[in-house]
Amino acid sequence: MKKVILIFCVLSLLIFIRPVLGLSTDANPDSINDTTVTTTQVDKVTQVEGVFDDAFKGIKKFYSYTGFANTTSGNLIMIVIGITFIYLGIKFDYEPLLLIPIGTGVILGNIPFVAGNQTGIYETGSVLNYLYFGVVKGIYPPLIFLGIGAMTDFSSLIANPKLMLLGAAAQIGVFATFMGALYLGFNLPEAGAIGIIGGADGPTAIFLSSKLANGVNIMADGTTVKNLIGPIAIAAYSYMALVPVIQPPLMRLLISKEDRKIKMKPPRAVTQKEKMIFPVVALLLTLFISPSALPLLGMLFFGNLLKESGRTERLADTARTKLIDIVTILLGVTVGASTQADIFITKDSLLIFGLGAISFVIATCGGLLFARFMNRFLKGDNKINPLIGAAGVSAVPDSARVVHHEGLKSDPSNYLLMHAMAPNVAGVIGSAIAAGIILSFLG
């Protein structure tokens, strides 16, 4: 009896699910409509194929938006350069506060993307484009100078003002590069912006190139200047980071071992009153000479006044720590990101890097040789160690540290750091004045 009931239940279940499966409930097999069954099966196959086609199209569209589909050899080259910058900053401690943000920015700027999605730094409305505004309009460099002023001690320069001449002598690299850029076919504003690389001052290079070689200005003959901010900035910061590599061989080549052992007498003590008066006097004097340098030198000496006044320590501390750190991050990343391969990898960029290397060598040699020239007129313990002439380039404070270390190699008891800081800070002032003079003539 149980078997009969089980068979009945199974048959009932099969009869019930037949309509669900789309099978005819007609007991006569001959009444099945073969055409209907065939059409239903074809529709199901077509539907399945359509689902697979849509899925494949979706995957294909997704792939078209990825970096793998849009990458170029130029992107890969720039990404390798960005990784190299990061490696140099971490492994060899070459200006890590600059090279690591710039290297990261280079990678960000060369991630391939589909144009029109407000992603790239040159696309209006993108976040990077808004941050890049501070570079294009020259906002970041004066803020950097404010922080530099708030952390700089001008005592060594005040104690020995004649060392300012070494900072001025090193600016020969600026004007030599300017002439070289003209010879290579750059127009006047572009050559002026390229020339400032010889000052080895990144913020000044960015400021001047944002005014002269920004891709916006139109010359009298109707020619639009090229946008060279990225190559100029990267070249300037690269050579600043390579100071420990470039300068020592030049020092050993141009300065005899005997001269490298010259010990300079300790600088005199500078009073606090002198430190407070200096930024005001220097501000008036330099800006009357070069008013166009007001955004840079004005902020530099304002920051120093905050430091030395004794009444605005909170403001000075903010300028030399939090503010300059934030601006350095934004400046480094956006300058790095501006090196998109399609814009950066050009003949002009290669020429700029070549000119930058030559200008840095000329600037260093100019400071070294002028220091030797000054010693012809100095007697006894008033002589200066010619090595400090290399600190005339405004790579603060790296070039002064390099001078100090090179002096210790010749004489372990010869401490040149404080003496080298005088032409070093003078180089900062000198490069800003040179930028203002160029801007006055070409802006």
Side-chain angles (χ1 to χ4, degrees), residues 343-355:
I343 294 175
F344 187 81
I345 301 181
T346 62
K347 177 184 175 182
D348 290 339
S349 297
L350 296 177
L351 291 176
I352 288 170
F353 270 83
L355 286 169

Side-chain angles (χ1 to χ4, degrees), residues 243-263:
V243 163
V245 177
I246 298 174
Q247 287 197 325
L250 297 174
M251 295 177 188
R252 292 189 287 269
L253 176 66
L254 297 177
I255 307 301
S256 67
K257 191 171 184 179
E258 182 181 350
D259 284 346
R260 278 180 265 159
K261 293 181 179 180
I262 293 177
K263 289 187 176 181

Side-chain angles (χ1 to χ4, degrees), residues 305-341:
L305 184 60
L306 292 178
K307 173 181 179 291
E308 303 296 355
S309 67
R311 303 294 184 183
T312 53
E313 185 57 33
R314 282 175 52 196
L315 299 181
D317 185 62
T318 298
R320 64 174 167 255
T321 55
K322 302 177 182 66
L323 179 61
I324 196 171
D325 288 344
I326 292 171
V327 176
T328 299
I329 291 171
L330 296 177
L331 181 67
V333 172
T334 50
V335 164
S338 69
T339 61
Q340 285 184 192

Side-chain angles (χ1 to χ4, degrees), residues 47-379:
Q47 185 178 4
V48 172
E49 290 178 349
V51 171
F52 280 111
D53 287 343
D54 290 341
F56 181 73
K57 289 179 180 177
I59 294 172
K60 187 176 180 181
K61 186 174 183 180
F62 167 74
Y63 178 76
S64 70
Y65 283 108
T66 66
F68 300 104
N70 298 286
T71 189
T72 65
S73 58
N75 293 135
L76 297 178
I77 291 172
M78 293 307 302
I79 288 173
V80 170
I81 291 174
I83 294 172
T84 303
F85 276 21
I86 295 173
Y87 175 77
L88 292 174
I90 296 174
K91 178 68 175 180
F92 299 103
D93 198 29
Y94 290 167
E95 290 286 355
L97 298 181
L98 296 174
L99 287 192
I100 293 176
I102 290 175
T104 305
V106 172
I107 295 173
L108 292 176
N110 285 279
I111 298 297
F113 61 89
V114 176
N117 290 333
Q118 295 184 342
T119 302
I121 195 169
Y122 295 110
E123 290 191 302
T124 302
S126 73
V127 174
L128 285 175
N129 183 259
Y130 284 125
L131 296 177
Y132 191 53
F133 181 84
V135 174
V136 175
K137 296 300 180 181
I139 297 172
Y140 295 148
L143 296 177
I144 293 285
F145 265 65
L146 174 65
I148 292 173
M151 67 173 66
T152 300
D153 185 355
F154 287 99
S155 296
S156 55
L157 184 60
I158 298 171
N160 201 351
K162 65 176 177 288
L163 297 182
M164 185 177 292
L165 296 174
L166 296 176
Q171 305 313 310
I172 187 176
V174 173
F175 299 99
T177 310
F178 172 70
M179 299 302 294
L182 287 177
Y183 177 78
L184 292 176
F186 291 96
N187 59 42
L188 279 172
E190 294 163 358
I194 294 169
I196 206 64
I197 299 174
D201 190 339
T204 304
I206 293 172
F207 177 79
L208 191 61
S209 58
S210 71
K211 300 298 182 185
L212 297 179
N214 52 19
V216 175
N217 294 349
I218 299 176
M219 299 179 62
D221 60 359
T223 304
T224 302
V225 297
K226 300 172 184 175
N227 183 359
L228 302 177
I229 298 175
I232 290 173
I234 296 296
Y237 279 117
S238 297
Y239 295 122
M240 284 176 63
L242 293 175
V243 163
V245 177
I246 298 174
Q247 287 197 325
L250 297 174
M251 295 177 188
R252 292 189 287 269
L253 176 66
L254 297 177
I255 307 301
S256 67
K257 191 171 184 179
E258 182 181 350
D259 284 346
R260 278 180 265 159
K261 293 181 179 180
I262 293 177
K263 289 187 176 181
M264 299 175 63
K265 65 180 181 181
R268 69 174 179 83
V270 176
T271 66
Q272 187 61 33
K273 182 181 291 186
E274 287 178 293
K275 292 181 180 180
M276 288 189 289
I277 293 174
F278 176 79
V280 177
V281 173
L283 174 70
L284 293 172
L285 182 61
T286 57
L287 291 184
F288 269 85
I289 294 173
S290 180
S292 296
L294 188 148
L296 298 177
L297 293 176
M299 297 300 276
L300 176 71
F301 292 122
F302 171 53
N304 189 247
L305 184 60
L306 292 178
K307 173 181 179 291
E308 303 296 355
S309 67
R311 303 294 184 183
T312 53
E313 185 57 33
R314 282 175 52 196
L315 299 181
D317 185 62
T318 298
R320 64 174 167 255
T321 55
K322 302 177 182 66
L323 179 61
I324 196 171
D325 288 344
I326 292 171
V327 176
T328 299
I329 291 171
L330 296 177
L331 181 67
V333 172
T334 50
V335 164
S338 69
T339 61
Q340 285 184 192
D342 56 339
I343 294 175
F344 187 81
I345 301 181
T346 62
K347 177 184 175 182
D348 290 339
S349 297
L350 296 177
L351 291 176
I352 288 170
F353 270 83
L355 286 169
I358 295 172
S359 69
F360 195 79
V361 170
I362 292 174
T364 301
C365 293
L368 292 169
L369 294 176
F370 193 79
R372 291 181 57 183
F373 176 75
M374 287 178 64
N375 271 346
R376 293 180 176 272
F377 304 94
L378 300 174
K379 305 296 182 183

Side-chain angles (χ1 to χ4, degrees), residues 252 255-264 385 387 401-417 419:
R252 292 189 287 269
I255 307 301
S256 67
K257 191 171 184 179
E258 182 181 350
D259 284 346
R260 278 180 265 159
K261 293 181 179 180
I262 293 177
K263 289 187 176 181
M264 299 175 63
N385 189 311
L387 288 177
R401 285 202 294 255
V402 170
V403 167
H404 177 67
H405 290 311
E406 198 62 29
L408 290 177
K409 289 179 182 178
S410 300
D411 182 354
S413 64
N414 196 4
Y415 297 95
L416 295 174
L417 183 60
H419 300 290

